[in-house]
Amino acid sequence: MHTAFFLLLGGALARFLLRHPGEARTPWIIALSVVLAALYVLGPALGPGRGTRPTPRRITWLALVVAVWVVLVVLAPSFAWCAVPLFYTGLRTLPARAALVLIGVLTVFVVAAQLRLAGNFDPNLLLAPPAVAALATAVFVHMERQAERQRALIDDLVRTRRELAATERREGTLAERQRLSMEIHDTLAQSLSSQQMLLQAADRLWDADPERARAHVRTAESVTERGLVEARRFVHDLAPADLAGGGLGEALRTLAARESEAGLAVRFHAEGTPAPLPDRVESALLRIAQGALANVREHADATAAAITLTHLGDQVVLDIADNGRGFTPEPPREGGVRGHGLPAIRARTRQLGGTLTIESAPGEGTVLSVAIPLEAS
């Protein structure tokens, strides 16, 4: 619109100089054209237009621009069409009603100037300027509405992104709390539970069989030492301490040996060609094995258990079987489940996109199987 203003102003000045060379008013026309151009250029330096209350300086500036233009139109009617860019300037500077009044005044001057140039009455010259003014006003109002809708959409988008970010932070915090809860259950809580059972057994045998009681105490001491290593490692990087020694297979072998020391005969067996596994898969499978053996030790009343790790190329399968009392598996429920054992195992399996299968019956032992697809890990 600024470019259009200067093109119309330059075209009107050129037309006047070509048709009225050497007239006495020519210097005044040139001087007023330069003043009008200079005033128009000063407009943006006076602050924003629409969207804020117009300042006295800006209103004074607009009045000077309109006054100089009116004098030019009176002296040379060919400057009349410079009013079209001024329509937009008025709409951007003044409140709606005041802008419409200004547009009406400018349109009257344009009509008078065109009739003066024509020399006789022409209905087209009488109707064309109001039509152009109405069109310009309608285009401006439409653009303003579009801009307002766009601003509203941008505000909604920004607000939605902020809300989404806040929701993701909350969900991340809850997920991290759940993960830490499972980590503590599978490490410190299980270690303390083993120590309690061993010390209780030692207390019962202390008078009748001191040697066995001391053996239980030594085993409890070993479990305590291992729990301390887990706790330090947990604080350091929340990764299973057993995995620092040589991978998942070695960690499961160590777990089986350690659980056997606690009075349960546990053996480990690996099948297939071992392949490197993602860290989070190894960590989750080790925690699942620890949780499953904790359930066996505390609830199954079993004398033997087996851990089997099977590499099948596209997935890895972990089986924990025992010869305990067994139970009747129930469908997983969101609430009302005692403890963290099976819910934690289900949650870890679900996080890795795997499947959990439990086969058991009263008096027939239990087989827990976890299959993790390596593509999903």
Side-chain angles (χ1 to χ4, degrees), residues 304-323:
I307 304 174
T308 304
L309 180 66
T310 307
H311 294 270
L312 298 176
D314 60 342
Q315 64 177 344
V316 60
V317 180
L318 176 68
D319 297 310
I320 298 97
D322 68 78
N323 63 350

Side-chain angles (χ1 to χ4, degrees), residues 249 252-253 267-274 307-311:
L252 292 175
R253 194 182 307 278
R267 61 182 178 85
F268 170 74
H269 177 65
E271 295 183 357
T273 303
I307 304 174
T308 304
L309 180 66
T310 307
H311 294 270

